[in-house]
PDB file of all heavy atoms in Angstrom:
ATOM      1  N   ALA O   1     104.291  67.015 122.805  1.00 93.00           N
ATOM      2  CA  ALA O   1     104.244  68.265 123.571  1.00 93.00           C
ATOM      3  C   ALA O   1     102.824  68.578 124.023  1.00 93.00           C
ATOM      4  O   ALA O   1     102.625  69.279 125.030  1.00 93.00           O
ATOM      5  CB  ALA O   1     104.794  69.406 122.723  1.00 93.00           C
ATOM      6  N   ALA O   2     101.821  68.047 123.283  1.00 93.00           N
ATOM      7  CA  ALA O   2     100.413  68.332 123.631  1.00 93.00           C
ATOM      8  C   ALA O   2      99.842  67.364 124.649  1.00 93.00           C
ATOM      9  O   ALA O   2      98.712  67.549 125.128  1.00 93.00           O
ATOM     10  CB  ALA O   2      99.566  68.298 122.349  1.00 93.00           C
ATOM     11  N   LEU O   3     100.574  66.300 125.016  1.00 91.00           N
ATOM     12  CA  LEU O   3     100.069  65.311 125.960  1.00 91.00           C
ATOM     13  C   LEU O   3      99.862  65.912 127.342  1.00 91.00           C
ATOM     14  O   LEU O   3     100.706  66.656 127.854  1.00 91.00           O
ATOM     15  CB  LEU O   3     101.040  64.137 126.083  1.00 91.00           C
ATOM     16  CG  LEU O   3     101.094  63.119 124.941  1.00 91.00           C
ATOM     17  CD1 LEU O   3     102.133  62.045 125.260  1.00 91.00           C
ATOM     18  CD2 LEU O   3      99.721  62.480 124.734  1.00 91.00           C
ATOM     19  N   ALA O   4      98.754  65.548 127.950  1.00 89.00           N
ATOM     20  CA  ALA O   4      98.511  65.949 129.339  1.00 89.00           C
ATOM     21  C   ALA O   4      99.544  65.317 130.269  1.00 89.00           C
ATOM     22  O   ALA O   4      99.872  65.863 131.330  1.00 89.00           O
ATOM     23  CB  ALA O   4      97.108  65.538 129.753  1.00 89.00           C
ATOM     24  N   ALA O   5     100.108  64.179 129.840  1.00 90.00           N
ATOM     25  CA  ALA O   5     101.080  63.478 130.669  1.00 90.00           C
ATOM     26  C   ALA O   5     102.360  64.281 130.876  1.00 90.00           C
ATOM     27  O   ALA O   5     103.111  64.023 131.820  1.00 90.00           O
ATOM     28  CB  ALA O   5     101.429  62.126 130.022  1.00 90.00           C
ATOM     29  N   ILE O   6     102.620  65.240 129.992  1.00 91.00           N
ATOM     30  CA  ILE O   6     103.816  66.072 130.171  1.00 91.00           C
ATOM     31  C   ILE O   6     103.753  66.782 131.519  1.00 91.00           C
ATOM     32  O   ILE O   6     104.764  66.932 132.206  1.00 91.00           O
ATOM     33  CB  ILE O   6     103.932  67.099 129.028  1.00 91.00           C
ATOM     34  CG1 ILE O   6     104.160  66.397 127.686  1.00 91.00           C
ATOM     35  CG2 ILE O   6     105.060  68.098 129.285  1.00 91.00           C
ATOM     36  CD1 ILE O   6     105.460  65.612 127.622  1.00 91.00           C
ATOM     37  N   ALA O   7     102.543  67.192 131.923  1.00 91.00           N
ATOM     38  CA  ALA O   7     102.391  67.891 133.202  1.00 91.00           C
ATOM     39  C   ALA O   7     102.082  66.939 134.345  1.00 91.00           C
ATOM     40  O   ALA O   7     102.599  67.095 135.455  1.00 91.00           O
ATOM     41  CB  ALA O   7     101.293  68.942 133.089  1.00 91.00           C
ATOM     42  N   ASN O   8     101.270  65.921 134.072  1.00 89.00           N
ATOM     43  CA  ASN O   8     100.735  65.104 135.162  1.00 89.00           C
ATOM     44  C   ASN O   8     101.280  63.683 135.211  1.00 89.00           C
ATOM     45  O   ASN O   8     100.959  62.919 136.124  1.00 89.00           O
ATOM     46  CB  ASN O   8      99.206  65.044 135.050  1.00 89.00           C
ATOM     47  CG  ASN O   8      98.573  66.425 135.065  1.00 89.00           C
ATOM     48  OD1 ASN O   8      98.976  67.280 135.845  1.00 89.00           O
ATOM     49  ND2 ASN O   8      97.580  66.643 134.203  1.00 89.00           N
ATOM     50  N   GLY O   9     102.079  63.288 134.197  1.00 92.00           N
ATOM     51  CA  GLY O   9     102.573  61.922 134.152  1.00 92.00           C
ATOM     52  C   GLY O   9     101.528  60.988 133.568  1.00 92.00           C
ATOM     53  O   GLY O   9     100.353  61.339 133.412  1.00 92.00           O
ATOM     54  N   TYR O  10     101.916  59.754 133.230  1.00 90.00           N
ATOM     55  CA  TYR O  10     100.982  58.775 132.674  1.00 90.00           C
ATOM     56  C   TYR O  10     100.050  58.271 133.782  1.00 90.00           C
ATOM     57  O   TYR O  10     100.488  57.979 134.907  1.00 90.00           O
ATOM     58  CB  TYR O  10     101.740  57.614 132.044  1.00 90.00           C
ATOM     59  CG  TYR O  10     102.538  58.039 130.824  1.00 90.00           C
ATOM     60  CD1 TYR O  10     103.928  58.022 130.864  1.00 90.00           C
ATOM     61  CD2 TYR O  10     101.895  58.453 129.670  1.00 90.00           C
ATOM     62  CE1 TYR O  10     104.665  58.423 129.761  1.00 90.00           C
ATOM     63  CE2 TYR O  10     102.623  58.854 128.550  1.00 90.00           C
ATOM     64  CZ  TYR O  10     104.012  58.847 128.600  1.00 90.00           C
ATOM     65  OH  TYR O  10     104.723  59.241 127.512  1.00 90.00           O
ATOM     66  N   GLN O  11      98.752  58.154 133.457  1.00 90.00           N
ATOM     67  CA  GLN O  11      97.746  57.705 134.409  1.00 90.00           C
ATOM     68  C   GLN O  11      97.435  56.223 134.184  1.00 90.00           C
ATOM     69  O   GLN O  11      97.873  55.609 133.210  1.00 90.00           O
ATOM     70  CB  GLN O  11      96.478  58.537 134.253  1.00 90.00           C
ATOM     71  CG  GLN O  11      96.710  60.040 134.389  1.00 90.00           C
ATOM     72  CD  GLN O  11      97.275  60.422 135.753  1.00 90.00           C
ATOM     73  OE1 GLN O  11      96.729  60.001 136.794  1.00 90.00           O
ATOM     74  NE2 GLN O  11      98.360  61.180 135.768  1.00 90.00           N
ATOM     75  N   SER O  12      96.677  55.634 135.070  1.00 88.00           N
ATOM     76  CA  SER O  12      96.318  54.215 134.956  1.00 88.00           C
ATOM     77  C   SER O  12      95.509  53.974 133.688  1.00 88.00           C
ATOM     78  O   SER O  12      94.786  54.845 133.224  1.00 88.00           O
ATOM     79  CB  SER O  12      95.523  53.759 136.187  1.00 88.00           C
ATOM     80  OG  SER O  12      94.332  54.526 136.299  1.00 88.00           O
ATOM     81  N   GLY O  13      95.663  52.819 133.096  1.00 87.00           N
ATOM     82  CA  GLY O  13      94.973  52.484 131.867  1.00 87.00           C
ATOM     83  C   GLY O  13      95.911  51.750 130.924  1.00 87.00           C
ATOM     84  O   GLY O  13      96.983  51.279 131.327  1.00 87.00           O
ATOM     85  N   VAL O  14      95.524  51.652 129.650  1.00 86.00           N
ATOM     86  CA  VAL O  14      96.326  50.958 128.655  1.00 86.00           C
ATOM     87  C   VAL O  14      97.497  51.842 128.234  1.00 86.00           C
ATOM     88  O   VAL O  14      97.301  52.989 127.830  1.00 86.00           O
ATOM     89  CB  VAL O  14      95.480  50.572 127.433  1.00 86.00           C
ATOM     90  CG1 VAL O  14      96.350  49.895 126.374  1.00 86.00           C
ATOM     91  CG2 VAL O  14      94.327  49.655 127.845  1.00 86.00           C
ATOM     92  N   ALA O  15      98.720  51.315 128.338  1.00 82.00           N
ATOM     93  CA  ALA O  15      99.907  52.075 127.955  1.00 82.00           C
ATOM     94  C   ALA O  15      99.975  52.204 126.438  1.00 82.00           C
ATOM     95  O   ALA O  15      99.721  51.245 125.712  1.00 82.00           O
ATOM     96  CB  ALA O  15     101.166  51.394 128.474  1.00 82.00           C
ATOM     97  N   GLN O  16     100.301  53.386 125.971  1.00 91.00           N
ATOM     98  CA  GLN O  16     100.497  53.640 124.542  1.00 91.00           C
ATOM     99  C   GLN O  16     101.999  53.554 124.245  1.00 91.00           C
ATOM    100  O   GLN O  16     102.785  54.374 124.712  1.00 91.00           O
ATOM    101  CB  GLN O  16      99.954  55.022 124.173  1.00 91.00           C
ATOM    102  CG  GLN O  16      98.458  55.197 124.418  1.00 91.00           C
ATOM    103  CD  GLN O  16      97.649  54.295 123.504  1.00 91.00           C
ATOM    104  OE1 GLN O  16      97.912  54.170 122.306  1.00 91.00           O
ATOM    105  NE2 GLN O  16      96.632  53.648 124.079  1.00 91.00           N
ATOM    106  N   SER O  17     102.357  52.540 123.456  1.00 94.00           N
ATOM    107  CA  SER O  17     103.794  52.299 123.231  1.00 94.00           C
ATOM    108  C   SER O  17     104.500  53.477 122.588  1.00 94.00           C
ATOM    109  O   SER O  17     105.661  53.792 122.927  1.00 94.00           O
ATOM    110  CB  SER O  17     103.973  51.048 122.373  1.00 94.00           C
ATOM    111  OG  SER O  17     103.346  51.199 121.105  1.00 94.00           O
ATOM    112  N   ASN O  18     103.852  54.182 121.653  1.00 94.00           N
ATOM    113  CA  ASN O  18     104.535  55.284 120.983  1.00 94.00           C
ATOM    114  C   ASN O  18     104.787  56.455 121.923  1.00 94.00           C
ATOM    115  O   ASN O  18     105.765  57.195 121.785  1.00 94.00           O
ATOM    116  CB  ASN O  18     103.777  55.734 119.741  1.00 94.00           C
ATOM    117  CG  ASN O  18     102.380  56.238 120.037  1.00 94.00           C
ATOM    118  OD1 ASN O  18     101.861  56.065 121.142  1.00 94.00           O
ATOM    119  ND2 ASN O  18     101.742  56.837 119.034  1.00 94.00           N
ATOM    120  N   GLN O  19     103.878  56.598 122.932  1.00 93.00           N
ATOM    121  CA  GLN O  19     104.093  57.645 123.932  1.00 93.00           C
ATOM    122  C   GLN O  19     105.271  57.292 124.843  1.00 93.00           C
ATOM    123  O   GLN O  19     106.152  58.123 125.108  1.00 93.00           O
ATOM    124  CB  GLN O  19     102.823  57.839 124.762  1.00 93.00           C
ATOM    125  CG  GLN O  19     101.636  58.345 123.970  1.00 93.00           C
ATOM    126  CD  GLN O  19     100.390  58.478 124.831  1.00 93.00           C
ATOM    127  OE1 GLN O  19     100.444  58.340 126.058  1.00 93.00           O
ATOM    128  NE2 GLN O  19      99.239  58.735 124.180  1.00 93.00           N
ATOM    129  N   LEU O  20     105.287  56.054 125.333  1.00 93.00           N
ATOM    130  CA  LEU O  20     106.371  55.636 126.228  1.00 93.00           C
ATOM    131  C   LEU O  20     107.720  55.637 125.498  1.00 93.00           C
ATOM    132  O   LEU O  20     108.746  56.042 126.059  1.00 93.00           O
ATOM    133  CB  LEU O  20     106.069  54.249 126.794  1.00 93.00           C
ATOM    134  CG  LEU O  20     104.839  54.157 127.698  1.00 93.00           C
ATOM    135  CD1 LEU O  20     104.580  52.711 128.091  1.00 93.00           C
ATOM    136  CD2 LEU O  20     105.018  55.028 128.938  1.00 93.00           C
ATOM    137  N   ASN O  21     107.710  55.161 124.243  1.00 94.00           N
ATOM    138  CA  ASN O  21     108.952  55.155 123.483  1.00 94.00           C
ATOM    139  C   ASN O  21     109.517  56.573 123.318  1.00 94.00           C
ATOM    140  O   ASN O  21     110.728  56.789 123.348  1.00 94.00           O
ATOM    141  CB  ASN O  21     108.733  54.532 122.098  1.00 94.00           C
ATOM    142  CG  ASN O  21     108.576  53.021 122.166  1.00 94.00           C
ATOM    143  OD1 ASN O  21     108.959  52.395 123.155  1.00 94.00           O
ATOM    144  ND2 ASN O  21     108.007  52.433 121.118  1.00 94.00           N
ATOM    145  N   LYS O  22     108.629  57.533 123.120  1.00 93.00           N
ATOM    146  CA  LYS O  22     109.063  58.923 122.991  1.00 93.00           C
ATOM    147  C   LYS O  22     109.711  59.403 124.280  1.00 93.00           C
ATOM    148  O   LYS O  22     110.769  60.049 124.270  1.00 93.00           O
ATOM    149  CB  LYS O  22     107.861  59.803 122.645  1.00 93.00           C
ATOM    150  CG  LYS O  22     108.182  61.290 122.524  1.00 93.00           C
ATOM    151  CD  LYS O  22     109.055  61.613 121.328  1.00 93.00           C
ATOM    152  CE  LYS O  22     109.172  63.120 121.133  1.00 93.00           C
ATOM    153  NZ  LYS O  22     110.031  63.471 119.976  1.00 93.00           N
ATOM    154  N   THR O  23     109.101  59.094 125.407  1.00 94.00           N
ATOM    155  CA  THR O  23     109.659  59.491 126.704  1.00 94.00           C
ATOM    156  C   THR O  23     111.020  58.842 126.928  1.00 94.00           C
ATOM    157  O   THR O  23     111.995  59.498 127.336  1.00 94.00           O
ATOM    158  CB  THR O  23     108.705  59.106 127.844  1.00 94.00           C
ATOM    159  OG1 THR O  23     107.458  59.767 127.659  1.00 94.00           O
ATOM    160  CG2 THR O  23     109.292  59.486 129.199  1.00 94.00           C
ATOM    161  N   TRP O  24     111.095  57.546 126.654  1.00 95.00           N
ATOM    162  CA  TRP O  24     112.364  56.833 126.845  1.00 95.00           C
ATOM    163  C   TRP O  24     113.445  57.352 125.889  1.00 95.00           C
ATOM    164  O   TRP O  24     114.605  57.439 126.245  1.00 95.00           O
ATOM    165  CB  TRP O  24     112.149  55.326 126.661  1.00 95.00           C
ATOM    166  CG  TRP O  24     111.280  54.705 127.715  1.00 95.00           C
ATOM    167  CD1 TRP O  24     111.150  55.104 129.019  1.00 95.00           C
ATOM    168  CD2 TRP O  24     110.411  53.585 127.552  1.00 95.00           C
ATOM    169  NE1 TRP O  24     110.267  54.308 129.690  1.00 95.00           N
ATOM    170  CE2 TRP O  24     109.796  53.352 128.823  1.00 95.00           C
ATOM    171  CE3 TRP O  24     110.086  52.749 126.495  1.00 95.00           C
ATOM    172  CZ2 TRP O  24     108.875  52.322 129.030  1.00 95.00           C
ATOM    173  CZ3 TRP O  24     109.176  51.713 126.707  1.00 95.00           C
ATOM    174  CH2 TRP O  24     108.571  51.507 127.962  1.00 95.00           C
ATOM    175  N   ARG O  25     113.025  57.697 124.659  1.00 94.00           N
ATOM    176  CA  ARG O  25     114.020  58.188 123.716  1.00 94.00           C
ATOM    177  C   ARG O  25     114.589  59.529 124.166  1.00 94.00           C
ATOM    178  O   ARG O  25     115.801  59.759 124.092  1.00 94.00           O
ATOM    179  CB  ARG O  25     113.414  58.339 122.307  1.00 94.00           C
ATOM    180  CG  ARG O  25     114.479  58.768 121.280  1.00 94.00           C
ATOM    181  CD  ARG O  25     114.016  58.666 119.860  1.00 94.00           C
ATOM    182  NE  ARG O  25     113.110  59.746 119.477  1.00 94.00           N
ATOM    183  CZ  ARG O  25     112.680  59.930 118.231  1.00 94.00           C
ATOM    184  NH1 ARG O  25     113.044  59.071 117.271  1.00 94.00           N
ATOM    185  NH2 ARG O  25     111.866  60.918 117.942  1.00 94.00           N
ATOM    186  N   GLN O  26     113.725  60.413 124.632  1.00 95.00           N
ATOM    187  CA  GLN O  26     114.221  61.720 125.050  1.00 95.00           C
ATOM    188  C   GLN O  26     115.238  61.599 126.190  1.00 95.00           C
ATOM    189  O   GLN O  26     116.296  62.225 126.169  1.00 95.00           O
ATOM    190  CB  GLN O  26     113.049  62.616 125.466  1.00 95.00           C
ATOM    191  CG  GLN O  26     112.200  63.066 124.298  1.00 95.00           C
ATOM    192  CD  GLN O  26     111.642  64.466 124.487  1.00 95.00           C
ATOM    193  OE1 GLN O  26     111.465  64.929 125.613  1.00 95.00           O
ATOM    194  NE2 GLN O  26     111.371  65.135 123.375  1.00 95.00           N
ATOM    195  N   SER O  27     114.926  60.795 127.176  1.00 95.00           N
ATOM    196  CA  SER O  27     115.840  60.651 128.317  1.00 95.00           C
ATOM    197  C   SER O  27     117.111  59.906 127.919  1.00 95.00           C
ATOM    198  O   SER O  27     118.221  60.244 128.365  1.00 95.00           O
ATOM    199  CB  SER O  27     115.135  59.949 129.476  1.00 95.00           C
ATOM    200  OG  SER O  27     114.673  58.670 129.072  1.00 95.00           O
ATOM    201  N   SER O  28     116.972  58.881 127.057  1.00 94.00           N
ATOM    202  CA  SER O  28     118.157  58.096 126.684  1.00 94.00           C
ATOM    203  C   SER O  28     119.121  58.891 125.812  1.00 94.00           C
ATOM    204  O   SER O  28     120.337  58.743 125.913  1.00 94.00           O
ATOM    205  CB  SER O  28     117.736  56.807 125.967  1.00 94.00           C
ATOM    206  OG  SER O  28     117.157  57.081 124.700  1.00 94.00           O
ATOM    207  N   ILE O  29     118.564  59.740 124.946  1.00 95.00           N
ATOM    208  CA  ILE O  29     119.440  60.554 124.097  1.00 95.00           C
ATOM    209  C   ILE O  29     120.289  61.487 124.934  1.00 95.00           C
ATOM    210  O   ILE O  29     121.494  61.642 124.710  1.00 95.00           O
ATOM    211  CB  ILE O  29     118.606  61.340 123.053  1.00 95.00           C
ATOM    212  CG1 ILE O  29     118.167  60.397 121.933  1.00 95.00           C
ATOM    213  CG2 ILE O  29     119.408  62.502 122.480  1.00 95.00           C
ATOM    214  CD1 ILE O  29     117.282  61.054 120.897  1.00 95.00           C
ATOM    215  N   MET O  30     119.695  62.113 125.930  1.00 95.00           N
ATOM    216  CA  MET O  30     120.470  63.025 126.768  1.00 95.00           C
ATOM    217  C   MET O  30     121.505  62.271 127.589  1.00 95.00           C
ATOM    218  O   MET O  30     122.620  62.759 127.800  1.00 95.00           O
ATOM    219  CB  MET O  30     119.532  63.822 127.689  1.00 95.00           C
ATOM    220  CG  MET O  30     118.668  64.836 126.951  1.00 95.00           C
ATOM    221  SD  MET O  30     119.630  65.921 125.850  1.00 95.00           S
ATOM    222  CE  MET O  30     120.736  66.712 127.020  1.00 95.00           C
ATOM    223  N   ALA O  31     121.164  61.062 128.039  1.00 93.00           N
ATOM    224  CA  ALA O  31     122.144  60.250 128.761  1.00 93.00           C
ATOM    225  C   ALA O  31     123.321  59.912 127.846  1.00 93.00           C
ATOM    226  O   ALA O  31     124.491  59.951 128.253  1.00 93.00           O
ATOM    227  CB  ALA O  31     121.491  58.973 129.285  1.00 93.00           C
ATOM    228  N   ALA O  32     123.017  59.581 126.563  1.00 93.00           N
ATOM    229  CA  ALA O  32     124.075  59.265 125.603  1.00 93.00           C
ATOM    230  C   ALA O  32     124.954  60.476 125.342  1.00 93.00           C
ATOM    231  O   ALA O  32     126.185  60.364 125.213  1.00 93.00           O
ATOM    232  CB  ALA O  32     123.466  58.755 124.300  1.00 93.00           C
ATOM    233  N   VAL O  33     124.343  61.656 125.252  1.00 94.00           N
ATOM    234  CA  VAL O  33     125.100  62.886 125.011  1.00 94.00           C
ATOM    235  C   VAL O  33     126.054  63.167 126.174  1.00 94.00           C
ATOM    236  O   VAL O  33     127.222  63.509 125.984  1.00 94.00           O
ATOM    237  CB  VAL O  33     124.133  64.070 124.799  1.00 94.00           C
ATOM    238  CG1 VAL O  33     124.885  65.398 124.866  1.00 94.00           C
ATOM    239  CG2 VAL O  33     123.425  63.926 123.459  1.00 94.00           C
ATOM    240  N   ILE O  34     125.567  63.010 127.395  1.00 94.00           N
ATOM    241  CA  ILE O  34     126.428  63.240 128.566  1.00 94.00           C
ATOM    242  C   ILE O  34     127.562  62.217 128.599  1.00 94.00           C
ATOM    243  O   ILE O  34     128.723  62.549 128.905  1.00 94.00           O
ATOM    244  CB  ILE O  34     125.595  63.184 129.861  1.00 94.00           C
ATOM    245  CG1 ILE O  34     124.616  64.358 129.907  1.00 94.00           C
ATOM    246  CG2 ILE O  34     126.508  63.196 131.091  1.00 94.00           C
ATOM    247  CD1 ILE O  34     123.620  64.302 131.047  1.00 94.00           C
ATOM    248  N   GLY O  35     127.261  60.970 128.256  1.00 92.00           N
ATOM    249  CA  GLY O  35     128.310  59.958 128.198  1.00 92.00           C
ATOM    250  C   GLY O  35     129.380  60.299 127.178  1.00 92.00           C
ATOM    251  O   GLY O  35     130.580  60.131 127.421  1.00 92.00           O
ATOM    252  N   GLN O  36     128.953  60.806 126.007  1.00 92.00           N
ATOM    253  CA  GLN O  36     129.909  61.187 124.972  1.00 92.00           C
ATOM    254  C   GLN O  36     130.725  62.401 125.393  1.00 92.00           C
ATOM    255  O   GLN O  36     131.910  62.518 125.082  1.00 92.00           O
ATOM    256  CB  GLN O  36     129.181  61.477 123.664  1.00 92.00           C
ATOM    257  CG  GLN O  36     130.090  61.544 122.442  1.00 92.00           C
ATOM    258  CD  GLN O  36     130.820  60.235 122.206  1.00 92.00           C
ATOM    259  OE1 GLN O  36     130.212  59.168 122.239  1.00 92.00           O
ATOM    260  NE2 GLN O  36     132.130  60.309 122.009  1.00 92.00           N
ATOM    261  N   PHE O  37     130.093  63.319 126.117  1.00 90.00           N
ATOM    262  CA  PHE O  37     130.799  64.492 126.637  1.00 90.00           C
ATOM    263  C   PHE O  37     131.913  64.060 127.590  1.00 90.00           C
ATOM    264  O   PHE O  37     133.024  64.593 127.558  1.00 90.00           O
ATOM    265  CB  PHE O  37     129.798  65.403 127.351  1.00 90.00           C
ATOM    266  CG  PHE O  37     130.400  66.618 127.983  1.00 90.00           C
ATOM    267  CD1 PHE O  37     130.876  67.663 127.209  1.00 90.00           C
ATOM    268  CD2 PHE O  37     130.492  66.732 129.366  1.00 90.00           C
ATOM    269  CE1 PHE O  37     131.433  68.795 127.796  1.00 90.00           C
ATOM    270  CE2 PHE O  37     131.041  67.844 129.960  1.00 90.00           C
ATOM    271  CZ  PHE O  37     131.510  68.887 129.177  1.00 90.00           C
ATOM    272  N   ILE O  38     131.635  63.072 128.427  1.00 90.00           N
ATOM    273  CA  ILE O  38     132.656  62.522 129.327  1.00 90.00           C
ATOM    274  C   ILE O  38     133.789  61.909 128.502  1.00 90.00           C
ATOM    275  O   ILE O  38     134.977  62.113 128.795  1.00 90.00           O
ATOM    276  CB  ILE O  38     132.037  61.480 130.282  1.00 90.00           C
ATOM    277  CG1 ILE O  38     131.101  62.166 131.289  1.00 90.00           C
ATOM    278  CG2 ILE O  38     133.121  60.684 131.001  1.00 90.00           C
ATOM    279  CD1 ILE O  38     130.309  61.198 132.144  1.00 90.00           C
ATOM    280  N   ASN O  39     133.443  61.151 127.453  1.00 88.00           N
ATOM    281  CA  ASN O  39     134.460  60.567 126.576  1.00 88.00           C
ATOM    282  C   ASN O  39     135.349  61.647 125.984  1.00 88.00           C
ATOM    283  O   ASN O  39     136.593  61.581 126.035  1.00 88.00           O
ATOM    284  CB  ASN O  39     133.803  59.804 125.419  1.00 88.00           C
ATOM    285  CG  ASN O  39     133.226  58.457 125.832  1.00 88.00           C
ATOM    286  OD1 ASN O  39     132.656  57.765 124.996  1.00 88.00           O
ATOM    287  ND2 ASN O  39     133.348  58.067 127.087  1.00 88.00           N
ATOM    288  N   ASN O  40     134.731  62.661 125.382  1.00 84.00           N
ATOM    289  CA  ASN O  40     135.466  63.662 124.615  1.00 84.00           C
ATOM    290  C   ASN O  40     136.315  64.574 125.489  1.00 84.00           C
ATOM    291  O   ASN O  40     137.470  64.864 125.161  1.00 84.00           O
ATOM    292  CB  ASN O  40     134.500  64.517 123.795  1.00 84.00           C
ATOM    293  CG  ASN O  40     133.822  63.736 122.692  1.00 84.00           C
ATOM    294  OD1 ASN O  40     134.218  62.622 122.370  1.00 84.00           O
ATOM    295  ND2 ASN O  40     132.789  64.318 122.103  1.00 84.00           N
ATOM    296  N   MET O  41     135.752  65.059 126.574  1.00 81.00           N
ATOM    297  CA  MET O  41     136.422  66.100 127.343  1.00 81.00           C
ATOM    298  C   MET O  41     137.264  65.565 128.491  1.00 81.00           C
ATOM    299  O   MET O  41     138.293  66.148 128.827  1.00 81.00           O
ATOM    300  CB  MET O  41     135.394  67.102 127.883  1.00 81.00           C
ATOM    301  CG  MET O  41     134.558  67.758 126.796  1.00 81.00           C
ATOM    302  SD  MET O  41     135.549  68.493 125.459  1.00 81.00           S
ATOM    303  CE  MET O  41     136.496  69.704 126.363  1.00 81.00           C
TER     304      MET O  41
END
């Protein structure tokens, strides 16, 4: 939540895997939830 990238996105330089994994996890979890909602309802 404290990352500057939250507002401005990731800038050029060395990618930090734990930062990218966090971003991917947040988006993937919501995609999984919507998929399950389609299954259930």
Side-chain angles (χ1 to χ4, degrees):
L3 285 179
I6 295 297
N8 303 318
Y10 294 112
Q11 304 299 310
S12 60
V14 178
Q16 299 294 316
S17 61
N18 61 348
Q19 296 178 8
L20 295 175
N21 286 341
K22 178 68 172 179
T23 300
W24 294 330
R25 184 169 76 173
Q26 289 214 334
S27 59
S28 68
I29 284 177
M30 290 309 300
V33 167
I34 293 172
Q36 194 61 47
F37 178 71
I38 291 172
N39 284 179
N40 292 347
M41 302 308 299

